[in-house]
Amino acid sequence: MNENDPSLPSAELTGFVHEWPASRVVFGPGLISVAAREASRYGDRIAVIHDPTAQSAADRLTADAAGGVCARIGEVVQHVPVHAVDKAVTTIRDARAGVLVCIGGGSATGLAKGVARKLELPLVAIPTTYAGSEMTSIWGMTQDGKKTTGRATAVRPRTVVYDPELTLDLPAEISVTSGINAIAHCVEALYAHDASPLTRLTAAEGIRSMARALPTILERPREVSARSFALRGAWLSGWSLEVATTGLHHKLCHVLGGLLDLPHSPLHTVLLPYTVAHLAPAAASDTQAVLESLGITGPVSDAGGLIWDLHRLLAAPTALAGIGMREADVDVAVAAASAVLADLPLPPRPVTASDLRDLIREAFDGNRPASR
Ligand SMILES: NC(=O)c1ccc[n+]([C@@H]2O[C@H](COP(=O)([O-])OP(=O)(O)OC[C@H]3O[C@@H](n4cnc5c(N)ncnc54)[C@H](O)[C@@H]3O)[C@@H](O)[C@H]2O)c1
C-alpha cells in the first residue's frame, strides 16, 4: 500500500509474493487449426461449449477431431446461471467426456468453468472477446439474482488458444467495451497492493496493446493486426487479473452488476474514469503509469477526466444511465455498495459511503470526472 507516499508505485513498498500460473498459451491467426490437437493432449473424448457466434469455429474443431467430439453445447447465456451449469454437467457427464473445450467470450468460458469445477475435467479455452477469464482460476455463477464467485486452480484452462481471426466479427462497440474491460483489469493490477514488478510490466503492456488496437478496430474491425494487438492485450490483462488482487473498480462492478443486472463490459467501461479519479490522489505513480500506457499526456490530478475523454473518442458509453440503470436505482446502488465496500481497507485508497454516493451519482449522470 502506498498511502504514505503516493509518488512511489504500490508494489515497491510492501514486498511481494509471485506465483507463475501454469497455463499453456498458443497465439496466432488461424490457430483454431491446432485446437483439436491441443485438446487431445488432455483426453480423447472432447466436449465443446461454444458461444452461438462461434458455430463455425466449433465445426472446424469437430472436423479436425475426426470423431473425437462427443458432446456440443451451443447455447450460452450471460452471468452463468446455476441451472445452465447443471444442465451442461448432465449432458457432458452422460457423454463421458475426458476434456472440455470452450469457444466464446466470458460467458462461454464461465459456463465451461462451472462444468470443469463439478466434473474435474481439464479445460482448453478459445476466447473470442477480451474478457480475460481464460487466464484465471476465478469462477462465478448466479442464482436468484445473486452472483457467487470463487477461485479454484482446477477451473483455470490448461491451454488457451488465441486466434485473432475468431474476433474479426466482434462488433466494434462490443470490442471497445470488452477492450476497456481488459484495460480496467490491468489498471487494477497496477494499483494492487500485492502486485509484483512483473505484474506491473504485464499490466502496463496489456494497456498499451489494447490502447493501440482499439482506435483501429473502430475504423477497420476486420484488420487482423489490430485484432492481434487487442487479443495480446486481453491475454496480458487476464494474466494480471489472475495474479493481482482486485480493488475498488472490480468490486464495485461486481456489486452493481449483480444487483441491477447491468451488462458486464459496458459497466466496467463506464465506471473506470470515476474509480481512477477516486484512487489517483493516493497513487500518483501508479496513475502516471496508467496514463503513460494509454498514451495520454496530462496531469495525474485529472486522470479520471482524461480517461473519460479517451472513452468519448472511442464512442464508448460514459453514463450508467445509458447502459440500463434507472434514476430510482441510484439510492439502492449506493446503499448496496456502501454495505459491502465502505471503509474497508481497500488499497490504494479506501472509500467512504459519501465517496460512493458521489462516485455512483457522477457515473450515473456521465459527467466528466472533476480534477482532484
Ligand atoms: N472469471 C473471470 O476471470 C472473468 C473475467 C472476466 C469476465 N468474466 C465474466 O465474463 C462475462 C462477460 O464476458 P464477455 O464480456 O466476453 O461477454 P459475453 O461472453 O457475454 O459476450 C458478449 C457478446 O458478444 C458476443 N460475441 C462473443 N464473441 C463474439 C465474436 N467473436 N463475434 C461476434 N460476437 C461475439 C456474444 O454472443 C455476446 O452477445 C461476465 O459474466 C463476467 O463476469 C469472468
Side-chain angles (χ1 to χ4, degrees), residues 180 269-277 290-291 294 296 302-320 362-372:
I180 295 172
T269 300
V270 169
L271 285 183
L272 186 63
Y274 303 97
T275 51
V276 168
V290 169
L291 292 180
L294 284 168
I296 295 175
D302 192 29
L306 292 164
I307 293 173
W308 186 92
D309 295 341
L310 176 66
H311 288 191
R312 295 268 291 200
L313 279 177
L314 293 171
T318 50
L320 293 174
E362 255 189 313
F364 179 79
D365 293 333
N367 296 327
R368 189 180 192 280
S371 286
R372 306 296 209 267

Side-chain angles (χ1 to χ4, degrees), residues 320-331:
L320 293 174
I323 62 163
M325 186 165 163
R326 297 163 309 145
E327 175 85 41
D329 295 330
V330 172
D331 285 343

